[in-house]
Amino acid sequence: MNKILHKEKLNDSVSRITVEAPHIARAAKPGQFVVIIPRENAERIPLTIAGTDADNGTVAIIFQIVGATTKILDSLKEGEEVAHLLGPLGTPSHIEKFGTVAVIGGGVGIAEIYPAVKALKAVGNEVITIIGARNKDLLIYETELRAQSTELRVTTDDGSAGRKGFVSDELKDLIASGKKIDLVVAVGPVPMMRVCCDITREHRIKTVVSLNPLMLDATGMCGICRVTVAGQTKFACVDGPEFDGHQVDFAELTARLGSYKDVEKKAYDHVCRLLGSRGQGAA
Amino acid sequence: MAEKKQRLHMKERSVAERTRDFQEVPLGYTPEEAIAEAKRCINCQNPLCVKGCPVEVKIPEFIELVAEGKFDEAAKKIKETNALPAICGRVCPQEEQCELKCILGVKGEPVAVGTLERFVADWEREHIQLQTSNIQLPNNKQIPNSRSQKIAVVGSGPAGLTCAGDLARLGYQVTIFESLHVTGGVLTYGIPEFRLPKKIVELEVEYVKSLGAAVRTDMLIGNVYTVAELLKEYQAVFIGSGAGLPKFMGIPGENLDGVYSANEYLFRVNMMKAWKFPDSLTPVKIGKKVAVVGGGNVAMDSARVSLRLGAEAVTILYRRTQEEMPARAEEIKRAVEEGVVFKLLTLPVEYHANREGWVAEAECRRMKLGEPDASGRRRPVEVPNSAFRLPVDTVIVAIGNSPNPLIPLRTPQLKTEKWGGVIVTPEGLTSLPGVYAGGDIARGAATVISAMGDGKRAARAIDNLLRKSQITNHK
Ligand SMILES: Cc1cc2nc3c(=O)[nH]c(=O)nc-3n(C[C@H](O)[C@H](O)[C@H](O)COP(=O)(O)OP(=O)(O)OC[C@H]3O[C@@H](n4cnc5c(N)ncnc54)[C@H](O)[C@@H]3O)c2cc1C
Ligand SMILES: Cc1cc2nc3c(=O)[nH]c(=O)nc-3n(C[C@H](O)[C@H](O)[C@H](O)COP(=O)(O)OP(=O)(O)OC[C@H]3O[C@@H](n4cnc5c(N)ncnc54)[C@H](O)[C@@H]3O)c2cc1C
Ligand code: SF4
Ligand code: SF4
Ligand code: FES
């Protein structure tokens, strides 16, 4: 169970794994995620289901190495098993024919939008996908997304690919061009989602964001994932992770995301030490 | 006529010693102590104690066996009605159940039924079932898995474990689906090691497995399979998904960094072993000045865990008086001994942050008890101009849990109460045919023993149902 069948590095800090999980592949819908514990004693970390193959009973996950547990996950090789895999979690994306939908992915969020782009297109939407990363090397999933979108627009902070600038700049231009946009979906770092919401709020375009608060059980039992939406406390793991972006308290989300920064560093160093010595032994 | 003897209280580890680690606080009885305490029981003809026990443990019978030194037989006697005595002996609110009704309590102290139960279970574990590998199957009438019908049990807390155990013993093919990566429910993630060693919970789960039940962890029912999907493969479903939804007060500042729900806090410590950080990678941040809001077992556990994690000052904020506290008397006593400060008749109304956005002060109001409310308890009312600020760097909100909403949310046909509890008949049948529920999902946050009682009753009802359908199928 939960064997890693395929692993591939998309760039220096982002990897894609395909994991055996027939029951998850069967039930998963766009917008849902899993919780992985790569090895016993690691954390429970939430990662979006970036694709499923129901016939082969596998799910694809794309993750960025940012700390201890993603580091451990990245150290697992093809053929090894993750200790625990739970999913699908969260409420699926609302997919229907809206008309024209702009789907925006930033950073590792690019991979997270793939299932939604595919599903939105399949029900007849015109899907304009905008993806952005710091530079060309960090751009992922471009080919896959181009194949599924009506139109794909690319931005990089340094202009090494596509337009120089942010995804939000591209969104601004798209709206300014007079194109009628019926829905915006934005997935990526909190500042990106916040800026996109600020833009669409002015133009009264409904905007869905996928929030990424810290999570623990991810089944609705601990409350660490609580976010304030329209003045009400919601649990992102069950009620979300998608919410109406215009109603989200982003400042609170940012503050809560940072609450473990100092200890996370300690965990990361600890894991690097452990993996470092092991890695050398193997080499 | 038995002479009047004082109740023998268990010896406990000293405060200085026990607050430094997570090991159990009370030490249990020695065999001699157990026999002496057992001899206090006068073996009532009409034992009132049994009426106080939700699973009707054969109390005088097992106590008599203890008095005779026949501990293994005593264990069998208890297990006729209670599969988890090592757990109940530790966490049952005995003072409100069996011991409350004991006749000796009228004039003096009741027999220490719970402690005796704990002793017997521990003795059995240490002398007969020392290893999980040689757990003996009880000489039951049926061979495990001798029946073809399949039953799905959702949740591996006391309700699910009891229901699964009873059905497996009857020979049904039982599969337990548990959403977390470990089994045991609150017994594992909620109640701390120093009150209920996890080894004991693991052994009980092993025991249920040894009866033939399969356990599948990492399976969130509602999302991975709906109840309707389960019913296609299983002839009956028991839902024991518990009350794991933490309540918040909804006051300003409750989402600041440093404010935990008790569930999150205990989950990090008990389940993710945060006290072993960084060998275990889940961290917990515990400050120097901790405030715990609430007055139940969950609040006491959170407070005592905080002390053990090195907090300098731990204060319980409770809006009524100690008399109204729902926590077990024993645990309140131990919390006080260990140095937890009780600020009673105190209600937090807002939390204030420091410049880094971390909680720094709990703004409170003093309360007094007013007229009785619907529950008959006197309602706390605010004392005018009584605001004060308590410096804190960690707040743990332990004001209660509601039934887990996920399964009802994903099962629209399942009827629930306004407060979220799944509606059941006395046998545990829900509004859906073939679907039973019990424990905290149906009662709201209650007790281990009531959850077990529900699991038992539902198992009986499911057995009746499947026997009937067997007959109709054969016609
Ligand atoms: C619903 C959901 C879906 C997600 N999907 C993906 C995905 O598909 N791919 C992916 O790479 N990541 C995804 N994330 C983020 C991912 O869960 C975190 O990166 C991961 O938990 C970090 O674990 P760690 O132990 O390696 O790092 P940690 O030590 O926990 O953190 C290291 C650094 O990352 C930051 N961080 C931690 N958690 C998050 C978070 N949730 N969001 C943003 N920053 C965080 C910390 O503040 C810290 O600076 C998702 C998060 C959620 C809630
Ligand atoms: C900190 C704390 C201290 C307590 N102290 C005491 C005490 O001293 N004495 C006492 O009698 N009682 C005590 N209680 C209460 C007692 O623990 C509960 O009443 C009892 O555990 C309820 O049992 P249950 O089987 O109904 O649910 P739980 O023990 O909550 O178990 C439910 C299980 O179902 C799982 N689950 C939930 N949803 C799903 C799903 N959709 N799919 C699959 N699995 C799912 C959960 O992960 C969990 O493992 C305490 C509770 C807490 C939180
Ligand atoms: S199960 Fe609980 S209530 Fe029943 S006899 Fe034992 S301790 Fe008392
Ligand atoms: S009521 Fe008390 S004295 Fe009587 S049988 Fe029960 S435990 Fe013994
Ligand atoms: S992660 Fe625990 S409730 Fe959402």
Side-chain angles (χ1 to χ4, degrees), chain B residues 73-189:
Chain B
E73 284 180 45
K76 285 201 194 99
K77 185 57 75 185
I78 298 174
K79 284 199 166 168
E80 283 178 20
T81 61
N82 178 355
L84 311 173
I87 294 172
C88 295
R90 286 175 166 80
V91 304
C92 257
Q94 292 113 9
E95 66 277 12
E96 292 165 18
Q97 298 182 343
C98 49
E99 294 179 13
L100 176 72
K101 297 276 170 75
C102 170
I103 196 82
L104 294 194
V106 178
K107 284 192 180 152
E109 283 193 288
V111 175
V113 180
T115 312
L116 286 169
E117 189 169 314
R118 167 198 164 119
F119 165 79
V120 168
D122 287 357
W123 189 91
E124 187 196 32
R125 192 176 64 248
E126 279 153 27
H127 293 83
I128 301 175
Q129 303 188 337
L130 206 56
Q131 265 112 37
T132 52
S133 52
N134 62 6
I135 284 176
Q136 316 242 316
L137 282 177
N139 38 351
N140 51 334
K141 297 121 228 161
Q142 262 93 16
I143 314 139
N145 287 348
S146 58
R147 295 194 187 181
S148 62
Q149 289 122 313
K150 293 165 75 180
I151 297 148
V153 170
V154 183
S156 64
L161 285 177
T162 308
C163 185
D166 280 12
L167 289 166
R169 216 191 308 260
L170 290 168
Y172 291 102
Q173 318 269 335
V174 181
T175 305
I176 301 178
F177 293 92
E178 167 58 52
S179 54
L180 297 173
H181 63 287
V182 261
T183 48
V186 171
L187 305 179
T188 302
Y189 81 75

Side-chain angles (χ1 to χ4, degrees), chain A residues 223-283:
Chain A
I224 192 187
C225 65
R226 58 196 192 275
V227 290
T228 303
V229 182
Q232 282 190 317
T233 296
K234 298 276 179 191
F235 285 8
C237 68
V238 172
D239 303 322
E242 292 183 358
F243 293 101
D244 177 349
H246 295 160
Q247 308 281 349
V248 169
D249 183 341
F250 283 109
E252 181 185 275
L253 176 64
T254 308
R256 289 182 63 77
L257 265 172
S259 54
Y260 279 93
K261 272 234 158 73
D262 47 345
V263 275
E264 281 160 353
K265 177 82 176 73
K266 216 167 133 190
Y268 184 71
D269 293 343
H270 181 76
V271 164
C272 285
R273 264 198 307 280
L274 290 180
L275 291 175
S277 53
R278 232 183 43 169
Q280 272 160 21

Side-chain angles (χ1 to χ4, degrees), chain B residues 397-416:
Chain B
V397 183
I399 56 164
N401 291 319
S402 317
N404 264 326
L406 187 73
I407 291 180
L409 190 73
R410 301 276 194 264
T411 320
Q413 312 91 316
L414 201 60
K415 292 215 171 82
T416 55

Side-chain angles (χ1 to χ4, degrees), chain A residues 214-226 235-238, chain B residues 246:
Chain A
L214 299 180
M215 291 190 181
L216 198 53
D217 64 300
T219 66
M221 300 202 318
C222 77
I224 192 187
C225 65
R226 58 196 192 275
F235 285 8
C237 68
V238 172

Side-chain angles (χ1 to χ4, degrees), chain A residues 58-184:
Chain A
T58 61
V59 298
I61 290 148
I62 294 171
F63 63 96
Q64 183 165 25
I65 303 151
V66 295
T69 299
T70 44
K71 180 91 185 161
I72 293 176
L73 180 58
D74 194 53
S75 74
L76 299 180
K77 300 181 185 66
E78 281 179 8
E80 288 190 274
E81 283 180 20
V82 298
H84 297 277
L85 183 63
L86 162 71
L89 301 172
T91 302
S93 312
H94 179 72
I95 303 288
E96 67 169 59
K97 186 160 176 193
F98 298 98
T100 302
V101 186
V103 187
I104 305 169
V108 73
I110 299 175
E112 297 176 39
I113 59 175
Y114 180 74
V117 166
K118 210 169 138 181
L120 285 165
K121 184 84 188 314
V123 299
N125 289 293
E126 179 183 3
V127 181
I128 301 172
T129 305
I130 305 172
I131 59 174
R134 280 207 311 278
N135 59 49
K136 188 167 178 271
D137 294 338
L138 297 177
L139 268 183
I140 51 175
Y141 257 51
E142 198 181 333
T143 324
E144 290 86 345
L145 282 166
R146 195 180 302 280
Q148 299 294 341
S149 315
T150 314
E151 187 193 337
L152 180 80
R153 302 184 178 199
V154 176
T155 69
T156 50
D157 298 5
D158 64 358
S160 53
R163 167 199 181 136
K164 181 169 164 22
F166 303 117
V167 284
S168 49
D169 299 330
E170 198 59 43
L171 173 66
K172 238 186 243 162
D173 287 358
L174 177 67
I175 296 171
S177 75
K179 177 104 192 148
K180 182 173 174 291
I181 310 286
D182 299 290
L183 177 74
V184 169

